[in-house]
Amino acid sequence: MKDHINNKNIWISWTELKSKLKGKNEIFLFGKSQNLIPKTLKKLKFSGKISIIDNNKDIEGSSYFDLKILDAKKILKNNSKNIFIIICVEPYSIIPQLLENNLIPGNNYVCTPAIEHWGKLQMLKNFTSDIIFTSSDFNYKKSLKGSKSGGGIFLANFQNNSYEKKIAGQFRQIIKTSSGYYAINFVKKEIVKFNNNFKILNKFKIFQKNKNTKYCGLTYDEKNQVFYMVNTTSDFIEIFDRKFKKLDEICFLEKKYRKKNLYYFNEGVCHLNDLVFSDNKLYVSYFSLTGRWRDNLFDGGLCEIDPVTHKKKIKFKNLYQPHSPHVYNNDFYILDSMRGILLNNKGLKIKFNGFIRGVDINKDYFFIGQSESMYLNQRFSRINKEITNCNSGIYCIDKSNNCSRFLSTPDVMNIHSLHLTKNK
């Protein structure tokens, strides 16, 4: 039933309704509503015949606002392809009856635009797709960056307001390829491959010279069948084959900045984090272009890199601890994490009151992860001391209607990466 409410064709504006009524001589208002009938008639401005239909036989034959009330079942039984109905009561009990009579949403019936926004809220509320998210948390007894549940790969669902751990570990970025999901367990320095049912298909140990190496970002070039992975402790993006044998690497830190940062160079001075590969280009987010984030200089941003020539092009700059680059419909998105802002290349700017990390998008909604805010002093040093939301969880945002829902994940401290399982 909720899938019928989620049909966008029934939630229309007055302008859209006016367009649908062109050429029609007769319409029906479904339901004698003391609230919605007058609101609908006031805005309708329809010159043809209008009748009310209702399932209550006790009011059949009477009038309301000078409109005759007819038996809905009789009208629907004798319906033609040209019938047009405007639902003027709550639609949950009405829509199944219309579908049983083979009426088409948007063509034969809509809901009154007087409840258009209520309908959009129902669609947001009833969104059903699962969301996979990763957490890098340690066991809460062992680390300041720990939580009750510990880290892992989780499955969340907005409609059920639920989440559960599927695979344990300290995980960073997750990606999906044609052969399955891949995620980085940065503590074990391994890549875990798993399927839609969270069955682990393989584990790839990553060889590294430095025992302190930490991997964070991961992406895949399907055409050339190579993986790119961020090494946050060396400011290199490393390139691997499908079995995670290292092929090459790209140094991110420009030569002109290396001397002054020589002391830090083997520790990672740019703080590269997340990756995405799109249209033969590699995109990486970073805390500092000049390699001075440890000196409290956060000149972060998003950089485009040609994987062949290693030529770099800055797409976003002056960001404060950015994460989660994302490409959707050829638009570029980035999270200005510490400031709590979602940005894109077309001027989109959505503000949150927390530390955000992890993003996915479908045709209707944005999905943004939020972690507990550990470093409030850093946030307040560059932002007005506004109230900060310190909960972890996931936002589902309907930008066109300026509304959102929040799925709280109280047993998790850090959310790093999101992946919507369907409805892309």
Side-chain angles (χ1 to χ4, degrees), residues 158 161-163 391-394 405-412 415:
F158 266 88
N161 197 36
S162 65
Y163 68 100
N391 287 18
S392 69
I394 303 170
R405 292 182 67 83
F406 185 73
L407 171 63
S408 180
T409 55
D411 293 339
V412 174
I415 292 178

Side-chain angles (χ1 to χ4, degrees), residues 165-193:
K165 184 189 292 189
K166 294 294 186 178
I167 300 174
Q170 287 70 46
F171 287 94
R172 298 283 187 173
Q173 191 166 3
I174 183 174
I175 61 171
K176 186 177 184 181
T177 73
S178 58
S179 64
Y181 292 95
Y182 292 81
I184 296 177
N185 186 328
F186 81 100
V187 171
K188 291 188 175 181
K189 301 177 178 61
E190 68 180 13
I191 303 296
V192 175
K193 180 182 180 182

Side-chain angles (χ1 to χ4, degrees), residues 196-408:
N196 292 332
N197 297 317
F198 298 93
K199 178 182 178 181
I200 295 177
L201 304 176
N202 212 335
K203 293 183 179 180
F204 302 93
K205 203 74 176 177
I206 308 300
F207 173 79
Q208 67 285 148
K209 295 179 181 179
N210 183 353
K211 66 178 181 179
N212 294 320
T213 297
K214 292 181 180 178
Y215 292 102
C216 184
L218 177 68
T219 191
Y220 185 59
D221 175 359
E222 290 271 5
K223 180 180 178 181
N224 295 302
Q225 298 185 349
V226 294
F227 288 91
Y228 295 89
M229 193 153 54
V230 161
N231 184 339
T232 60
T233 49
S234 69
D235 296 318
F236 280 88
I237 300 171
E238 301 181 5
I239 307 170
F240 299 85
D241 66 13
R242 288 186 300 169
K243 295 184 178 180
F244 286 90
K245 177 183 177 182
K246 188 173 177 179
L247 302 174
D248 201 355
E249 61 187 16
I250 301 171
C251 183
F252 181 81
L253 186 62
E254 297 288 347
K255 289 182 180 180
K256 60 184 176 181
Y257 300 125
R258 291 182 195 173
K259 280 189 177 180
K260 65 177 69 176
N261 292 288
L262 188 60
Y263 177 76
Y264 292 130
F265 187 55
N266 290 323
E267 300 179 16
V269 296
C270 296
H271 200 301
L272 310 182
N273 45 58
D274 299 320
L275 292 169
V276 66
F277 190 88
S278 178
D279 197 23
N280 298 316
K281 293 292 189 296
L282 186 65
Y283 299 88
V284 60
S285 50
Y286 54 89
F287 281 11
S288 176
L289 180 66
T290 57
R292 296 183 59 193
W293 76 276
R294 293 177 184 274
D295 298 323
N296 208 31
L297 176 62
F298 289 96
D299 52 337
L302 175 66
C303 183
E304 174 187 286
I305 302 175
D306 187 308
V308 177
T309 66
H310 298 186
K311 185 177 179 181
K312 301 178 181 66
K313 180 180 179 181
I314 304 301
K315 304 293 288 186
F316 292 89
K317 60 183 180 180
N318 299 323
L319 304 184
Y320 189 12
Q321 298 190 9
H323 290 84
S324 311
H326 190 81
V327 180
Y328 183 76
N329 284 346
N330 298 317
D331 289 332
F332 296 89
Y333 295 81
I334 188 72
L335 299 183
D336 194 356
S337 296
M338 187 63 81
R339 293 190 180 99
I341 303 174
L342 168 66
L343 303 164
N344 80 354
N345 57 299
K346 291 185 176 178
L348 174 74
K349 188 174 182 179
I350 303 178
K351 183 73 171 64
F352 302 83
N353 289 323
F355 186 91
I356 54 175
R357 182 172 52 196
V359 59
D360 204 353
I361 301 170
N362 71 4
K363 57 186 174 63
D364 297 311
Y365 306 126
F366 297 109
F367 301 86
I368 307 295
Q370 179 173 285
S371 298
E372 292 185 9
S373 297
M374 288 186 61
Y375 306 108
L376 291 179
N377 59 323
Q378 292 184 25
R379 180 175 168 85
F380 294 154
S381 68
R382 289 172 171 81
I383 308 169
N384 292 332
K385 289 188 177 182
E386 59 190 28
I387 299 298
T388 297
N389 185 338
C390 296
N391 287 18
S392 69
I394 303 170
Y395 291 94
C396 178
I397 301 135
D398 181 351
K399 180 61 175 64
S400 62
N401 291 286
N402 293 319
C403 57
S404 71
R405 292 182 67 83
F406 185 73
L407 171 63
S408 180

Side-chain angles (χ1 to χ4, degrees), residues 44 83 175:
L44 195 55
I83 192 172
I175 61 171

